[in-house]
């Protein structure tokens, strides 16, 4: 039999490199080779339990097979749901109390972090660590999820029919090589050294220093980006104003797109389709928008077809997820310190699918409260479509003089 000094030497050199199973098997093998008293000698020299050595000898005697399993079946700490069968129901009730019929749950109005859930379970008599709570939540089928903006309130009965109408009309225009654009006003932005959501890579410890609050400066107007997205060419134009988001500003932005991008891209165009929201500066009910659009038609000679999205469905407008979302991602974490900064950041927006964006500052003044008379509206050469003429209409170029707006 090997002496204790040799057994200790082997244990010190080999044991640190072995997992639990290999330690058990090697200890059992050496104990068998040592003969009588080998189990006690190996256990003492290696500072392990005699039962571990005995288990190793039994596995060797029964013919140990090659396996990736380290512990014997049934070995290791028992699962907490086995030792505490009621913990799953308690946790489930804490996470979704209203759905489990417990509106008086103490966590009804509390952010349910792992630490909070762990503390409340412990208070209820189920001692458990936050990491274990995470494992139990996965076992119950829970995962981290953000709210989904899908509920649109009361839907118009012709909502889906209007979507199909817009889609079919756009296809007809594109098949005839006529431009189709999506327009809208992006969210107004604070101008100044304010925090902007998002993160960016910077040298360690060199964070951007921004204002400690987001209270707007009454002396600095907000930036108003009005965008035009060309669906066929995957190009965008954004006019950045700082006065008022009016129908005049909307048409001025569309005019700028046509002068700087549209007429060059579509030299043979005779018609233009515009998709827009039902509200805002390009609202379907806006008289001023229609009158200004008629002026644009008279100046360009284009026949323009407007198709408005039903109320409450603005997020379906292509410009939202084809242009505005990429602009927001491009300037994340950048303080929008000036209108020039905003224009440059918008103009630098690109995507892997080839999006190109041009931006320009519009420093003109657009007054509010302009009234359009019935006579001025009647002078607009507007033809309502048979399907929802309040949402879908065409303004044609005619020789007669279109009304001019008062400044």
């Amino acid at each position: 039999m090997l002496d204790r000094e040799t057994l200790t030497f082997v244990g010190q050199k080999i044991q640190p490199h072995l997992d639990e199973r290999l330690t058990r098997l090697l200890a059992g093998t050496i104990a068998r080779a040592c003969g009588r008293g080998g189990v006690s000698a190996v256990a003492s020299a290696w500072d392990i339990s005699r039962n571990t050595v005995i288990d190793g000898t039994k596995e060797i005697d029964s013919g140990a097979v090659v396996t990736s399993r380290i512990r014997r079946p049934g070995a290791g700490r028992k699962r907490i749901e086995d030792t505490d069968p009621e913990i799953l129901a308690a946790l489930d009730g804490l996470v979704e109390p209203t759905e489990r019929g417990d509106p008086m749950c103490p966590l009804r109005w509390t952010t349910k972090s792992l630490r909070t859930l762990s503390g409340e379970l412990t208070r209820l008599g189920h001692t458990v660590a936050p990491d274990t709570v995470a494992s139990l939540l996965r076992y119950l089928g829970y995962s981290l999820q953000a709210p989904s903006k899908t509920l649109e309130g009361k839907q118009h009965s012709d909502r889906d029919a209007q979507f199909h109408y817009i889609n079919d009309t756009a296809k007809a225009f594109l098949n005839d090589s006529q431009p189709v654009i999506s327009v809208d006003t992006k969210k107004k932005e604070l101008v100044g050294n304010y925090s902007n959501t998002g993160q960016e890579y910077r040298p360690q410890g060199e964070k951007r220093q921004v204002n400690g609050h987001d209270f707007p400066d009454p002396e600095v107007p907000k930036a108003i980006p009005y965008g035009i997205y060309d669906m066929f060419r995957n190009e965008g134009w954004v006019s950045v104003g700082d006065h008022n988001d009016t129908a005049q500003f909307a048409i001025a932005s569309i005019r700028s797109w046509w002068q700087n991008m549209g007429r060059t891209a579509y030299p043979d165009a005779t018609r233009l389709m515009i998709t827009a929201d039902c509200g805002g500066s390009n609202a379907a009910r806006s008289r001023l928008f229609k009158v200004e659009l008629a002026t644009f038609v008279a100046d360009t000679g284009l026949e323009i077809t407007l198709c408005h999205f039903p109320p409450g469905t603005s997020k379906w407008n292509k410009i939202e997820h084809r242009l505005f979302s990429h602009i927001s991602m491009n300037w994340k974490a950048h303080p929008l310190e000036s209108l020039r900064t905003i224009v440059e950041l918008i103009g630098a927006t690109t995507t892997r699918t080839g999006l190109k964006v041009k931006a320009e500052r519009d420093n003109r003044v657009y007054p509010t409260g302009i009234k359009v008379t019935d006579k001025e509206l009647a002078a607009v050469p507007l033809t309502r479509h048979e399907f929802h003429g309040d949402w879908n209409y065409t303004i044609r170029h005619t020789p007669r003089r279109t009304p001019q707006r008062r400044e």
Side-chain angles (χ1 to χ4, degrees):
M1 184 176 72
L2 297 176
D3 56 63
R4 179 181 174 83
E5 184 177 342
T6 302
L7 289 175
T8 302
F9 177 80
V10 172
Q12 292 175 344
K13 297 297 183 182
I14 302 298
Q15 192 177 358
H17 303 285
L18 305 178
D19 58 34
E20 183 179 317
R21 179 172 184 266
L22 292 178
T23 298
R24 187 172 63 247
L25 293 177
L26 182 58
T29 302
I30 295 176
R32 274 284 179 265
C34 290
R36 183 178 177 82
V39 170
S40 297
V42 172
S44 177
W46 286 25
D47 195 22
I48 58 178
S49 170
R50 291 186 75 259
N51 290 336
T52 299
V53 182
I54 293 173
D55 289 341
T57 60
K58 290 180 179 179
E59 289 186 55
I60 293 296
D61 293 341
S62 62
V65 297
V66 178
T67 177
S68 59
R69 188 181 184 95
I70 296 176
R71 292 183 174 178
R72 294 175 287 104
R77 181 182 298 176
K78 300 296 182 182
R79 298 186 305 173
I80 191 169
E81 53 265 41
D82 293 333
T83 60
D84 187 358
E86 297 180 358
I87 192 171
L88 291 177
L91 177 59
D92 198 29
L94 290 174
V95 178
E96 281 295 341
T98 54
E99 305 229 349
R100 307 296 179 249
D102 185 12
M104 300 305 293
C105 171
L107 299 190
R108 176 69 177 87
W109 306 108
T110 304
T111 300
K112 305 179 187 71
S113 66
L114 295 178
R115 188 175 298 278
T116 300
L117 290 169
S118 171
E120 185 59 24
L121 285 171
T122 300
R123 190 187 69 80
L124 294 174
H126 309 281
T127 304
V128 61
D131 289 344
T132 305
V133 173
S135 299
L136 294 176
L137 288 173
R138 287 192 294 269
Y139 178 78
L140 290 172
Y142 288 100
S143 62
L144 288 174
Q145 300 180 44
S148 177
K149 294 182 178 180
T150 56
L151 301 180
E152 298 172 353
K154 186 177 180 181
Q155 296 180 357
H156 196 284
S157 58
D158 291 329
R159 171 184 180 274
D160 291 343
Q162 177 66 3
F163 285 167
H164 286 293
Y165 188 84
I166 293 174
N167 186 57
D168 293 341
T169 305
K171 283 184 177 180
F173 268 75
L174 293 175
N175 289 338
D176 197 25
S177 299
Q178 303 297 315
V180 179
I181 60 174
S182 170
V183 304
D184 195 11
T185 305
K186 194 181 185 302
K187 180 177 71 71
K188 295 181 181 180
E189 303 288 348
L190 290 175
V191 179
N193 193 32
Y194 297 101
S195 175
N196 202 354
T197 57
Q199 296 177 317
E200 64 176 347
Y201 283 103
R202 293 180 61 83
Q204 185 74 22
E206 296 186 16
K207 293 183 179 181
R208 290 184 184 270
Q209 302 299 314
V210 297
N211 295 347
H213 58 78
D214 292 332
F215 302 127
D217 185 345
E219 302 297 325
V220 181
K222 292 182 179 180
I224 309 171
Y226 192 93
I228 294 90
Y229 175 70
D230 186 336
M231 297 186 192
F232 179 73
R233 296 177 61 84
N234 193 26
E235 294 179 345
W237 171 271
V238 180
S239 291
V240 182
D242 63 352
H243 196 249
N244 291 308
D245 182 20
T246 67
Q248 287 184 326
F249 174 55
I251 299 302
S253 301
I254 296 174
R255 187 187 296 272
S256 296
W257 165 79
W258 176 252
Q259 293 173 346
N260 291 277
M261 298 178 71
R263 64 183 178 185
T264 302
Y266 303 96
D268 300 323
T270 58
R271 298 182 295 145
L272 169 65
M273 178 183 174
I274 301 175
T275 65
D277 295 348
C278 224
S281 56
N282 42 235
R285 294 184 178 182
S286 172
R287 290 186 168 199
L288 183 59
F289 182 71
K290 294 181 176 65
V291 170
E292 292 293 331
L293 196 59
T295 303
F296 176 64
V297 168
D299 293 342
T300 60
L302 292 171
E303 175 184 292
I304 296 183
T305 294
L306 255 295
C307 290
H308 293 271
F309 283 87
T313 62
S314 60
K315 68 176 179 292
W316 298 102
N317 203 355
K318 293 291 185 183
I319 195 172
E320 295 290 345
H321 45 90
R322 295 283 184 85
L323 178 61
F324 288 164
S325 62
H326 297 297
I327 291 174
S328 297
M329 288 188 287
N330 185 59
W331 69 25
K332 65 180 181 181
H334 282 272
L336 305 179
E337 298 174 335
S338 64
L339 287 175
R340 178 179 178 180
T341 300
I342 294 175
V343 170
E344 291 180 351
L345 286 171
I346 292 175
T349 302
T350 58
T351 65
R352 286 179 293 180
T353 57
L355 173 67
K356 296 179 181 178
V357 185
K358 292 184 179 180
E360 182 180 73
R361 178 178 176 180
D362 186 344
N363 55 12
R364 287 169 287 189
V365 174
Y366 297 99
T368 59
I370 297 178
K371 303 295 183 181
V372 174
T373 65
D374 293 342
K375 183 179 179 180
E376 290 174 320
L377 183 62
V380 176
L382 183 148
T383 302
R384 297 179 181 274
H385 296 192
E386 292 185 6
F387 179 75
H388 264 289
D390 52 337
W391 293 343
N392 309 296
Y393 50 87
T394 297
I395 299 179
R396 293 180 171 83
H397 177 66
T398 60
R400 71 178 170 180
R401 183 173 177 270
T402 55
Q404 299 295 320
R405 294 303 314 146
R406 300 181 297 272
E407 295 296 336

